[in-house]
């Protein structure tokens, strides 16, 4: 898996250029490549909690992995809804994709709440709030309740939906960055006793930070929304 992750990170710059140069050329192949790399990073990150680190660090790693999974699920939901808005009537496949991403988002946040220390839970609840977040949650409820055969009826267009979801993602990502920095500090303090584990964790966390800072899935959603807005 590490070799596959390394290859994927090396190819990331070229993939981003492809998205930036021609947003309308985005295809399921490009999205699949992003998803595959992110899935590998999240899987490997979650596995680090089982490599013999202290219990508190292991719980922190599980919580951080769950938060990262929630952020990625939100990106998948963002893309799925944009596709649904562009497609008109909601198909059963589209509806399943939307409900699946929304469920993953909720389940991942629940996992975070179960694993994270109280101070992290409080920070997420305090920082990820406000009118934009409330609007994103309201719109998410609307799209997940839309049955197949009907149009997704939101108060905003694709660009508005993308902006709201991206704003919520950015707030969650800021909490994720703060948590990752704390984990890195804890791992650095333990490096003499677990040098190899610390190196793996540091490399993985930095890789996830680099990827999520680029807003991989959300960038695709924003490009799609911008393209739909221009074509409209």
């Amino acid at each position: 898996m590490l070799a596959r992750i390394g290859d994927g990170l090396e190819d990331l710059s070229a993939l981003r250029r492809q998205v930036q140069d021609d947003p309308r050329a985005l295809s399921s192949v490009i999205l699949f490549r992003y998803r595959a790399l992110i899935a590998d990073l999240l899987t490997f990150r979650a596995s680090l909690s089982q490599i013999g680190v202290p219990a508190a660090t292991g719980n922190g790693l599980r919580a951080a992995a769950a938060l990262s999974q929630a952020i990625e699920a939100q990106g998948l939901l963002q893309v799925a809804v944009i596709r649904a808005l562009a497609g008109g009537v909601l198909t059963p496949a589209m509806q399943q994709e939307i409900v699946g991403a929304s469920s993953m988002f909720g389940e991942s946040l629940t996992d975070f709440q179960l694993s994270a220390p109280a101070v992290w839970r409080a920070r997420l609840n305090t920082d990820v709030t406000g009118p934009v977040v409330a609007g994103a949650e309201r719109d998410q409820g609307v799209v997940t309740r839309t049955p197949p055969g009907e149009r997704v009826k939101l108060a905003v267009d694709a660009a508005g939906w993308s902006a709201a979801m991206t704003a919520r993602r950015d707030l969650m990502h800021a909490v994720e960055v703060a948590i990752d920095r704390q984990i890195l500090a804890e791992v650095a303090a333990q490096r003499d006793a677990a040098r190899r584990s610390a190196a793996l964790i540091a490399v993985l966390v930095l890789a996830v930070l680099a990827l999520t800072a680029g807003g991989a899935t959300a960038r695709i959603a924003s490009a799609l929304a911008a393209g739909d807005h221009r074509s409209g």
Side-chain angles (χ1 to χ4, degrees):
M1 180 180 290
L2 284 176
R4 189 166 65 244
I5 289 174
D7 292 341
L9 290 174
E10 288 181 3
D11 294 339
L12 189 58
S13 294
L15 194 61
R16 283 176 176 165
R17 284 195 300 271
Q18 185 176 355
V19 171
Q20 294 166 354
D21 292 344
D22 189 4
R24 298 304 300 174
L26 291 173
S27 68
S28 59
V29 174
I30 294 176
L31 184 57
F32 175 80
R33 290 173 62 187
Y34 268 121
R35 287 181 177 178
L37 176 57
I38 294 171
D40 281 344
L41 283 166
L42 293 177
T43 299
F44 184 58
R45 176 174 184 159
S47 71
L48 293 176
S49 64
Q50 305 173 11
I51 59 175
V53 295
T57 302
N59 288 336
L61 285 166
R62 282 189 290 274
L67 183 58
S68 296
Q69 184 66 67
I71 293 171
E72 170 60 6
Q74 180 176 264
L76 297 177
L77 176 64
Q78 188 172 339
V79 172
V81 172
I82 289 173
R83 286 175 167 174
L85 291 171
V89 174
L90 192 65
T91 66
M94 288 178 181
Q95 199 255 359
Q96 184 177 10
E97 185 177 358
I98 288 171
V99 171
S102 182
S103 297
M104 183 190 300
F105 177 77
E107 291 167 2
S108 298
L109 284 182
T110 297
D111 290 343
F112 173 81
Q113 297 288 346
L114 292 174
S115 303
V119 64
W120 292 3
R121 299 196 303 270
R123 178 160 190 169
L124 185 68
N125 293 334
T126 300
D127 292 3
V128 186
T129 187
V132 173
V133 173
E137 292 174 349
R138 181 176 59 252
D139 289 341
Q140 182 175 335
V142 171
V143 297
T144 55
R145 291 192 299 269
T146 302
E150 295 188 8
R151 297 180 65 89
V152 176
K153 298 177 182 178
L154 295 177
V156 295
D157 59 9
W161 159 262
S162 183
M165 294 294 284
T166 298
R168 183 172 68 172
R169 180 196 66 83
D170 288 346
L171 292 174
M172 294 179 66
H173 178 57
V175 176
E176 179 189 34
V177 170
I179 288 174
D180 282 337
R181 286 174 178 167
Q182 183 173 337
I183 291 174
L184 282 173
E186 292 175 359
V187 169
Q190 299 163 4
R191 63 179 177 269
D192 291 337
R195 187 173 299 275
R196 181 172 180 276
S197 297
L200 284 172
I201 294 170
V203 169
L204 191 279
V205 168
L206 289 174
V208 172
L209 282 175
L211 187 59
T212 54
T217 304
R219 280 180 181 271
I220 289 181
S222 297
L224 284 170
D228 288 340
H229 181 71
R230 288 196 299 269
S231 64

